[in-house]
Amino acid sequence: MSLIPHSSPRRRKSFPLAALLLLAASCKPSRDVTVAPGDDGSRTKSVEAPASREDGRLPRNARPTRYALAIVLDPAKERFTGDVTIDVELLEKTSYVVLHGRQLSVLRAEATVGGATTNVTVEPRPTPVGNGDDEELVVRLPAEQGPGPLRLHLAYSAALGDGLTGAFRVKDGDDWYAFTQFEPMDARRAMPCFDEPEFKTPFDLKITVPKGQIAI
């Protein structure tokens, strides 16, 4: 039997993303990031965010306080889908939040402040440490928010790679196995996140896999 995830109750624990074990499911391959329209059907007004830092670190205007992550994964498929809600504490008044995300396809993005939910834009960009690949996701808010709490919700898909980074898969005989390797900075291949070791954040995690398969 393949050793892979199965449906299980959510469990919460705080630790760096590099220590988080994730395994994930299929959807149409794409590296594109979808730009979510505003509630009136128009694109959210563009807000200038500062350039990526030379050291690859994120701007210090926000920090995560909780993740709720649901993943659907079949190791026999090349891609998986995910749905993540991130509670964020804005540390200053801002109109953007920058996350890590590498080779992800964001399908839907929303921000909730004070009980009001709005579609937001998500734009990928490279960083000096990313070898030319997009490493960050700039979430542009429709108006300045904070300081205070903000909730981000992103539905996305990502690849189950064939290398030994992020979420990847290996075939043994007729069986496919899914694994994760997030150190030193490859959690961003599996989910939109604040992929830095200083953020030790509680997770509610749910993994769904085909019947008869298990997750560890």
Side-chain angles (χ1 to χ4, degrees):
M1 182 188 302
S2 299
L3 185 61
I4 55 174
H6 75 133
S7 300
S8 59
R10 292 183 175 181
R11 301 181 184 277
R12 178 180 293 184
K13 191 173 182 179
S14 300
F15 36 23
L17 279 170
L20 178 66
L21 175 66
L22 296 180
L23 316 177
S26 63
C27 82
K28 185 178 180 180
S30 171
R31 288 188 57 191
D32 298 333
V33 173
T34 300
V35 178
D39 288 335
D40 61 355
S42 63
R43 291 179 182 271
T44 305
K45 182 179 179 181
S46 178
V47 178
E48 190 67 24
S52 299
R53 290 174 45 160
E54 290 295 323
D55 61 4
R57 302 288 294 277
L58 296 174
R60 314 324 278 177
N61 65 336
R63 65 180 182 88
T65 60
R66 174 183 170 272
Y67 291 82
L69 175 63
I71 284 176
V72 180
L73 178 148
D74 181 347
K77 304 292 181 62
E78 294 181 349
R79 295 183 68 85
F80 66 91
T81 57
D83 192 288
V84 63
T85 298
I86 311 174
D87 288 338
V88 177
E89 182 71 20
L90 297 178
L91 305 179
E92 59 187 45
K93 196 173 185 66
T94 184
S95 52
Y96 67 89
V97 177
V98 183
L99 312 176
H100 286 115
R102 182 168 182 148
Q103 297 180 336
L104 304 180
S105 179
V106 178
L107 309 174
R108 185 176 70 258
E110 299 172 336
T112 301
V113 181
T117 299
T118 305
N119 290 343
V120 293
T121 64
V122 180
E123 299 175 4
R125 69 180 184 184
T127 68
V129 299
N131 297 320
D133 289 336
D134 293 328
E135 290 276 338
E136 294 180 345
L137 303 175
V138 180
V139 179
R140 300 186 183 277
L141 306 175
E144 285 193 325
Q145 306 291 344
L150 170 76
R151 174 168 288 180
L152 297 177
H153 174 232
L154 298 97
Y156 68 97
S157 73
L160 272 178
D162 54 9
L164 302 180
T165 57
F168 62 96
R169 62 183 191 148
V170 176
K171 190 174 186 180
D172 181 23
D174 294 330
D175 295 325
W176 284 98
Y177 298 79
F179 302 92
T180 57
Q181 170 56 43
F182 286 172
E183 295 177 313
M185 54 181 191
D186 286 309
R188 65 194 66 180
R189 294 176 181 269
M191 60 182 289
C193 58
F194 293 75
D195 193 9
E196 296 183 10
E198 73 174 77
F199 300 121
K200 297 174 175 61
T201 310
F203 273 77
D204 288 331
L205 174 62
K206 179 181 180 180
I207 304 175
T208 302
V209 299
K211 184 177 181 180
Q213 300 176 345
I214 59 173
I216 296 178

